[in-house]
Amino acid sequence: MTTLDTSSNIGALAPPSLAAGSMVASLKEITKTYYMGTLSVEVLHGISLDFYSGDYISIMGPSGCGKSTLMNILGCLDQPTSGKYLLGSEDTSEMEDDELSTIRGARLGFIFQSYNLIQQLDVLENIEMPLFYQGYSEVESHEIAMGLATRVGLEDRVNHKPFELSGGQQQRVAIARALAVDPLIILADEPTGNLDSKSGAEILNLFDELHAQGKTLLLVTHSDELAERSKREIKLMDGRVESDE
């Protein structure tokens, strides 16, 4: 198993290092309502949660409980209908789309169940993508991406396209890409959902290593095994926090 070393400063635009236990995000009375013609459906009902540097959190709950909606708000992919969302020291609740895009690229790392890799690009180019959008030079982007590929055990696959990789290897690329700008929070949506048990266990081990190195992980999952690995489990039910322990 390759051990990740994410303690280095990877990027001039990365957020400053935070002491363990510092607040990195805060939700205050978040609601989300979707409107369909004359109908309205309130999905989140007054969610208030604080997240801290070094947290390893799983968000669980049955289908339709609001997990995906909450993840979209935390990831600055959607705006709450009411309430306040602080990411670091910045209030995202009233931001326009271009502001959200900027803070999303600089402060958040995403890992998806379906990997969301660009099929026309090789491993190294996929890892470099967030750095490109943050204005890193080609030389610096290449150096950072190569280091991350090595850290997730793919140094011998950097010239391969996603379709030439196994599911577990593709998810490793996604993890390296998520780490590229040294984000405040890594958000993962069912990160082992498409993997066999062996590949899933390897990805869980990588998450354990990231947590041990102080990364802040927030994962939406149906996996009891992943939830047991996490250090804090938030359960949603009908758009409300049922438990947080």
Side-chain angles (χ1 to χ4, degrees), residues 39-57:
L39 297 177
S40 63
V41 178
E42 188 171 2
V43 179
L44 298 179
H45 308 272
I47 299 285
S48 294
L49 292 165
D50 294 327
F51 305 102
Y52 299 91
S53 180
D55 264 349
Y56 186 178
I57 301 164

Side-chain angles (χ1 to χ4, degrees), residues 191-210:
T192 60
N194 283 340
L195 302 179
D196 58 51
S197 58
K198 181 178 182 295
S199 297
E202 291 174 352
I203 295 303
L204 293 180
N205 288 338
L206 287 180
F207 286 140
D208 288 347
E209 291 178 21
L210 289 172

Side-chain angles (χ1 to χ4, degrees), residues 103-115:
I103 195 171
R104 188 166 61 238
R107 299 290 183 259
L108 299 168
F110 295 91
I111 303 168
F112 301 96
Q113 179 177 355
S114 56
Y115 323 128

